[in-house]
Amino acid sequence: MISISQYQHAMDGNKKFGTAPVFFTAISTILGAILFLRFGFAVGTLGFWGVILIILLGHLVTIPTALAISELATNKRVQGGGEYFIISRSFGLNIGSAIGFTLFLSQAISVAFYVIAFTESFEFLFNWVLKQYGMELPRQVISIPAMTVLAVIILKKGASLGVKMLYFVVAILFISLAMFFFGEGTLAAESQLSFTNLEFRNGSDFFMVFAIVFPAFTGMTAGVGLSGDLRDPSKSIPRGTTLATISGMIIYFFVVYKLAISASPQEMVENQLVMANIAIAGIAIIPLGLAASTISSALGSVMVAPRTLQALSNDRSFPGAKLNNWLSANKNGEPVNATIVTIIIAYVFVFLGDVNAVAEVISMFFMVTYGAICLISFLNHFGASPSYRPSFRSKWYISLVGFVVSVWVMFKINTLYAFLAFVVMTVLYLYVTYTNKDRKGFQAIFANSVFQLNRKLHVFVQKQRKSGIYEEWRPSAICISQDTFERHDMIRLLNWISYRYGFGTYLHLIQGYFSKSSRLQADEEIGRISEMFQGIEDYVYIDSMISPSYTSAIAQAIQLPGISGMENNMVMLDFDKKTGKNLNNIIDNFALIRAGNFDVCILASSNLPIDFKKGIHVWIKSSDYDNANLMILLSFIILGHPDWRKSSIKIFDICEPCQIEKVKEGLANMVVSGRLPITIQNIKIIPAQDHVSSKTIINEHSANAALTIIGFMEGTLKHEKSNLFMGYDQLGTILFVNSHDQKEIE
């Protein structure tokens, strides 16, 4: 048996690469097929300044991504899978797998893309055969043998030989570029071009050319996929990636300038190997450089893609343990089975012979990856977690720019493909979530961001309210109840109020002193409440409160901050309408609540089913107009919940016979001016009768109402006490309302 330290040492022994492979893998992909085959077309179409603008725009994505990757790599050890590892450990395995699948396919198809581009370096051969024998050879004559050689090298020798070959082909690449810069084109001797007379033309074709050229910028993270084979990823990834990105951009500038001063626009547009006409010994050196760049890019992709696939299988992202085990298999530290799958996919597209239609899709998925990496960096900055301590730091606004530009560029390149890319990843996410139900969870990166946003919003709202800027009323209610398991109507009422217009906090009261046992009891009971009200409490914040008495609980609760950031302005309490349980507690503590300037709502719960179609009845009395507006507003807010969608509001007013017309006109004007969903037909004025109590009238007219809302005055409560709430035997659930001040219905 070996110790953990011995095992770790043995594993680290397989991690043999430093910074150079990261740099060369990235730079060989950056200075790839697009540079040799499409930059001439781009300069010929848009002119020097047009392509410079493309390079700058492209690097608004690549530089923030390179900095973000450098930052993330120095915060924690990046293991196998590179970009996939960073995304999955930040966004969670399900989201990470959805992006990882598409990232792997992009990397695998890229192998075929570069191999097919490699065949363009043999254009002289195809032209010679066509001229000598009148036969047009298919590109597969070169691409299939090239793919076979590449496959044998990787399968037989692995990444070690791949990296050694990488050094060789990168050397050829730089030699060919040097010969290009030292050469002279047909235009150089004819005109005196300078920065002052270089032009920007055909602006309408800008994004068309951008779509063609952009894949040249997608190689800067290629070296990150070697993370599992690096001795020190936290150093090698930042150094190699950043250096490759900046070096590539500088070389791009010089190549564009050299093209602009060395060849005519027509020549650049019509001849995809126009660089051969400029370079010293260009007829040989540029095809050789093209071959070196494309084969090195293919080498980089065929080393990186299997490691992404292996990382996905190590995370059990595929259905079935056998498939995951097979794909994650290692042989001498090489992901041999994942490499076989990568090669098969590449072969399919090499046989097809033309992946131009797929090239934009590849760019889409790379853009999603880059955008995700920038977003991770931004969220980590914004979330400000103490565990996020990278030794290399980018800036939050640079990462945000990278994310925004990534998404914008996707839709600018091809709106349909961008949309399809998001659809594909959404489907993959749903599938992975369905097949890995045990991997659900709220990732810390999102939670930290939500905490920070919540804090900032709370502070902002508090400042707005204290400055008097924010004066619009809406309910922010808090409820204290010790009968949660006996009566459910209060949580439902809070849910109706909080659905759209208000905010609700429900506190389950546990009477007693705070201790370890009472805290454990509180945790257990909150768990039971959450299970009982699944789907109901979606809009209500539920918590527990341990307090020795009902009075002390209310005193504590009314001092709590509101969950929305605004102060709580309403206290809601409930009692059993049939037995009167808890009513005396409410009456005894009413003055305490009013001392805090709260509106008070007391729910008389009947525990009977509510027939929502029967509507909400609001009862107004001539002596109680201070409560009227609050009652009407509450009925409107409750009616906004889907449970009440087929319901209606009816307003009843008991007044003196001589005031009937005046009261009716006033209510009608309030409904119209306040844009309330109440028809004039649903306003009923009832004349007061000397020997008939208001309770009798209410019992008669609202016996079948789903919810009856009745106002009450503080002075009346002091005089009548519990009798104020009794005598409504014919009614179902009742909400008694006392408004601290008269609300405005604007």
Side-chain angles (χ1 to χ4, degrees):
M1 178 179 286
I2 63 172
S3 67
I4 293 175
S5 60
Q6 288 174 320
Y7 173 78
Q8 185 64 47
H9 179 76
M11 292 301 292
D12 288 343
N14 292 326
K15 300 177 186 299
K16 45 198 173 292
F17 298 146
T19 299
V22 177
F23 171 76
F24 286 124
T25 302
I27 197 68
S28 64
T29 309
I30 290 171
L31 305 178
I34 300 297
L35 176 67
F36 283 92
L37 297 175
R38 295 291 181 265
F39 262 53
F41 170 81
V43 177
T45 304
L46 297 181
F48 171 80
W49 291 113
V51 182
I52 291 297
L53 186 59
I54 283 179
I55 294 171
L56 292 174
L57 180 60
H59 281 80
L60 282 178
V61 174
T62 58
I63 289 178
T65 304
L67 295 175
I69 276 209
S70 300
E71 181 179 74
L72 295 165
T74 59
N75 183 60
K76 62 173 65 174
R77 187 175 183 88
V78 180
Q79 298 177 19
E83 295 154 286
Y84 162 72
F85 180 85
I86 291 172
I87 293 169
S88 62
R89 269 49 180 184
S90 300
F91 286 159
L93 292 178
N94 289 351
I95 296 177
S97 294
I99 298 176
F101 283 138
T102 55
L103 174 63
F104 162 69
L105 286 174
S106 299
Q107 291 168 340
I109 297 170
S110 292
V111 177
F113 178 78
Y114 293 126
V115 169
I116 293 170
F118 169 75
T119 64
E120 296 300 325
S121 61
F122 292 85
E123 186 177 11
F124 70 92
L125 176 63
F126 295 116
N127 292 337
W128 181 81
V129 171
L130 181 62
K131 184 177 180 180
Q132 289 292 114
Y133 302 102
M135 181 173 62
E136 189 168 337
L137 288 176
R139 291 310 195 248
Q140 287 88 342
V141 170
I142 299 295
S143 60
I144 291 175
M147 184 67 223
T148 303
V149 171
L150 187 65
V152 169
I153 290 172
I154 292 298
L155 288 173
K156 290 289 185 181
K157 300 297 182 180
S160 295
L161 183 60
V163 169
K164 292 175 183 176
M165 287 188 63
L166 201 57
Y167 295 151
F168 176 71
V169 294
V170 167
I172 295 175
L173 172 61
F174 276 98
I175 290 170
S176 64
L177 285 174
M179 300 290 275
F180 166 72
F181 287 123
F182 286 123
E184 289 188 2
T186 56
L187 194 65
E190 299 175 7
S191 63
Q192 298 295 320
L193 289 175
S194 66
F195 282 109
T196 57
N197 57 15
L198 290 172
E199 56 184 341
F200 178 15
R201 52 182 175 269
N202 301 323
S204 59
D205 295 329
F206 180 83
F207 280 103
M208 179 271 291
V209 177
F210 185 92
I212 293 172
V213 171
F214 183 76
F217 308 139
T218 61
M220 83 288 182
T221 60
V224 182
L226 297 173
S227 57
D229 299 278
L230 299 175
R231 287 191 299 272
D232 191 352
S234 65
K235 289 183 179 179
S236 297
I237 290 176
R239 292 174 181 175
T241 302
T242 306
L243 182 60
T245 304
I246 295 174
S247 301
M249 182 176 66
I250 294 171
I251 292 171
Y252 284 156
F253 287 147
F254 283 111
V255 168
V256 170
Y257 178 72
K258 183 66 176 179
L259 284 167
I261 65 171
S262 302
S264 67
Q266 183 179 358
E267 187 180 2
M268 286 187 282
V269 170
E270 294 178 354
N271 184 4
Q272 69 173 356
L273 282 176
V274 67
M275 291 174 70
N277 297 341
I278 302 171
I280 298 172
I283 193 170
I285 199 66
I286 292 302
L288 189 60
L290 173 61
S293 69
T294 51
I295 206 65
S296 64
S297 298
L299 267 172
S301 297
V302 83
M303 287 190 295
V304 168
R307 284 158 173 78
T308 301
L309 183 60
Q310 184 185 47
L312 282 162
S313 59
N314 283 334
D315 288 335
R316 297 298 183 254
S317 300
F318 296 95
K322 289 184 178 180
L323 179 59
N324 283 303
N325 291 336
W326 186 81
L327 288 172
S328 61
N330 266 303
K331 184 178 180 182
N332 298 324
E334 295 293 329
V336 59
N337 293 336
T339 302
I340 291 172
V341 173
T342 302
I343 290 170
I344 291 172
I345 293 173
Y347 259 120
V348 170
F349 287 96
V350 168
F351 272 111
L352 292 176
D354 183 5
V355 292
N356 285 337
V358 185
E360 286 186 359
V361 178
I362 296 173
S363 294
M364 292 299 154
F365 291 131
F366 276 127
M367 290 298 297
V368 169
T369 304
Y370 301 158
I373 290 169
C374 290
L375 181 60
I376 290 167
S377 173
F378 168 73
L379 291 177
N380 275 315
H381 278 277
F382 185 77
S385 170
S387 64
Y388 190 67
R389 301 184 301 274
S391 56
F392 175 92
R393 276 193 175 272
S394 180
K395 300 292 185 182
W396 68 266
Y397 47 84
I398 295 177
S399 298
L400 181 60
V401 166
F403 168 69
V404 172
V405 175
S406 294
V407 177
W408 179 69
V409 164
M410 283 180 67
F411 285 91
K412 278 296 184 180
I413 290 175
N414 191 311
T415 301
L416 177 61
Y417 281 4
F419 177 75
L420 288 176
F422 284 113
V423 169
V424 167
M425 281 183 296
T426 301
V427 171
L428 284 171
Y429 169 74
L430 294 174
Y431 174 75
V432 172
T433 302
Y434 176 77
T435 55
N436 295 275
K437 295 180 180 178
D438 59 322
R439 295 200 320 200
K440 291 182 180 179
F442 194 56
Q443 294 301 312
I445 190 172
F446 295 117
N448 289 332
S449 298
V450 170
F451 293 152
Q452 289 290 342
L453 180 62
N454 190 40
R455 175 178 65 87
K456 291 178 183 294
L457 290 175
H458 270 61
V459 173
F460 171 77
V461 171
Q462 183 187 48
K463 289 180 178 178
Q464 295 293 96
R465 292 184 65 81
K466 286 187 176 180
S467 65
I469 297 173
Y470 183 85
E471 297 180 351
E472 184 179 280
W473 180 87
R474 63 166 59 201
S476 181
I478 188 166
C479 169
I480 309 99
S481 178
Q482 55 190 342
D483 300 315
T484 307
F485 300 110
E486 298 176 23
R487 297 190 297 274
H488 304 161
D489 287 348
M490 178 53 78
I491 284 187
R492 297 180 72 189
L493 176 62
L494 271 178
N495 192 57
W496 296 334
I497 290 174
S498 305
Y499 171 71
R500 185 174 181 183
Y501 299 104
F503 308 99
T505 301
Y506 184 92
L507 296 177
H508 171 64
L509 174 60
I510 297 174
Q511 281 196 254
Y513 291 96
F514 188 86
S515 65
K516 182 178 180 179
S517 60
S518 62
R519 182 187 62 79
L520 291 174
Q521 179 189 352
D523 292 343
E524 187 269 331
E525 292 189 6
I526 284 296
R528 287 173 56 196
I529 293 169
S530 297
E531 291 180 6
M532 286 173 57
F533 298 105
Q534 277 187 351
I536 293 179
E537 80 283 4
D538 289 348
Y539 308 102
V540 178
Y541 180 77
I542 298 178
D543 206 345
S544 62
M545 176 173 285
I546 302 169
S547 191
S549 69
Y550 192 76
T551 299
S552 62
I554 289 178
Q556 289 174 257
I558 61 178
Q559 297 178 70
L560 293 176
I563 59 167
S564 64
M566 62 183 289
E567 296 177 4
N568 291 317
N569 54 26
M570 179 180 291
V571 175
M572 306 190 78
L573 307 167
D574 69 326
F575 69 93
D576 190 312
K577 181 171 174 285
K578 185 177 181 180
T579 65
K581 181 182 178 182
N582 201 48
L583 179 56
N584 288 331
N585 279 335
I586 294 173
I587 294 171
D588 292 343
N589 289 283
F590 181 81
L592 173 62
I593 298 170
R594 287 283 294 182
N597 296 334
F598 289 95
D599 301 320
V600 182
C601 293
I602 301 172
L603 184 68
S605 178
S606 68
N607 283 325
L608 297 174
I610 294 177
D611 186 352
F612 299 105
K613 294 180 182 178
K614 299 296 179 63
I616 302 172
H617 288 193
V618 180
W619 283 89
I620 300 172
K621 304 174 189 175
S622 57
S623 60
D624 189 25
Y625 279 118
D626 284 346
N627 295 322
N629 286 2
L630 177 57
M631 291 191 290
I632 292 171
L633 284 171
L634 283 175
S635 67
F636 165 73
I637 289 169
I638 293 170
L639 198 69
H641 191 276
D643 286 350
W644 296 87
R645 60 184 175 276
K646 294 182 180 180
S647 190
S648 61
I649 301 171
K650 291 184 179 181
I651 296 180
F652 298 85
D653 194 316
I654 302 174
C655 68
E656 295 299 322
C658 60
Q659 295 182 324
I660 289 178
E661 292 301 322
K662 180 180 179 182
V663 170
K664 189 170 186 176
E665 182 181 353
L667 286 174
N669 288 336
M670 180 185 67
V671 167
V672 173
S673 63
R675 306 171 305 284
L676 297 170
I678 304 170
T679 62
I680 303 300
Q681 291 76 15
N682 280 351
I683 298 176
K684 189 169 184 179
I685 310 300
I686 300 173
Q689 301 177 41
D690 292 337
H691 303 293
V692 180
S693 69
S694 60
K695 290 184 180 180
T696 302
I697 297 172
I698 294 172
N699 276 315
E700 178 185 347
H701 288 83
S702 297
N704 295 321
L707 175 66
T708 305
I709 301 179
I710 302 171
F712 70 95
M713 305 292 290
E714 183 177 8
T716 309
L717 176 63
K718 289 179 180 178
H719 177 67
E720 297 189 18
K721 296 191 179 298
S722 62
N723 291 329
L724 177 64
F725 305 100
M726 299 300 178
Y728 296 101
D729 300 333
Q730 305 300 316
L731 305 184
T733 300
I734 308 170
L735 182 63
F736 295 96
V737 175
N738 177 263
S739 179
H740 169 259
D741 52 14
Q742 193 174 51
K743 307 295 185 286
E744 292 292 331
I745 299 180
E746 299 179 357

